Amino acid sequence: NPNPANGDLIGWDFIHNDGLPYDDQGHGTHTAGSIGAVGGNGIGISGVSQKVSIMALKFLSAQGQGSTADAIKAIDYAVAHGARVLSNSWGGKSDPNSPSDQQENKALYDSIDRARQAGVLFVAAAGNEGKNNDKASEASYPAAFDNDNVLSVAATDESDKLAFFSNTGAVTTDLA
């Protein structure tokens, strides 16, 4: 953070409400390394964007639990602090017949739209349930949203083929 104000030098933890967004599950560190790991140093892998600045934002617990409200806070925080690309390796199901799920989805959709208005790309994991995100009854959000700035990414295997567990969707999934 170029302008830390509340101990948020590297980002923010919306679970514990502090500036220590350390990864206690491992997935965030893995995906951040795939994005920004320094190459040519003989250590680990080479990231796809080795000169990137990464802002750590945490809203999921070690058990993968979190709230849509905290996800929205993280999105809004990232946009307010100058992020240009948001990498979101998370998502979940929603009951299309549930008014509370519809309300939460609308709020999440709107936060992603605020990011779009700020020129921010929102990269989202398609999901790992082997479902079709084009079907409302199977969709994983936020990947299945139709916001113009959402880039939904499916998983591939070691042979660069679509992973058996990856969600897909002719309309909702952009690349693998």
Side-chain angles (χ1 to χ4, degrees):
N1 184 356
N3 300 303
N6 298 310
D8 59 348
L9 181 62
I10 59 172
W12 196 255
D13 178 343
F14 294 91
I15 296 285
H16 301 104
N17 200 31
D18 62 33
L20 304 170
Y22 297 112
D23 186 359
D24 51 11
Q25 197 273 336
H27 188 74
T29 299
H30 167 76
T31 56
S34 295
I35 295 166
V38 175
N41 62 4
I43 302 171
I45 65 166
S46 177
V48 295
S49 183
Q50 298 170 27
K51 296 185 185 224
V52 69
S53 294
I54 294 177
M55 179 188 313
L57 300 176
K58 176 181 175 177
F59 75 94
L60 296 174
S61 69
Q63 295 76 33
Q65 301 298 310
S67 71
T68 301
D70 282 347
I72 292 167
K73 288 177 190 175
I75 294 165
D76 290 343
Y77 179 100
V79 172
H81 287 82
R84 295 185 308 213
V85 177
L86 305 182
S87 176
N88 300 276
S89 186
W90 55 272
K93 299 293 178 201
S94 178
D95 181 351
N97 299 314
S98 165
S100 63
D101 281 7
Q102 289 175 357
Q103 185 177 17
E104 282 188 3
N105 270 357
K106 172 80 168 95
L108 181 57
Y109 183 96
D110 290 347
S111 71
I112 296 168
D113 195 57
R114 287 191 296 276
R116 179 196 58 80
Q117 292 170 21
V120 176
L121 176 64
F122 189 95
V123 181
N128 296 331
E129 296 81 30
K131 301 292 185 178
N132 183 347
N133 280 344
D134 291 350
K135 295 181 180 180
S137 62
E138 296 183 7
S140 179
Y141 296 95
F145 285 143
D146 66 356
N147 304 69
D148 290 346
N149 61 324
V150 172
L151 179 68
S152 176
V153 182
T156 58
D157 63 19
E158 65 277 355
S159 300
D160 205 25
K161 304 289 184 204
L162 186 67
F164 73 91
F165 56 82
S166 185
N167 289 4
T168 59
V171 174
T172 55
T173 305
D174 301 298
L175 60 97

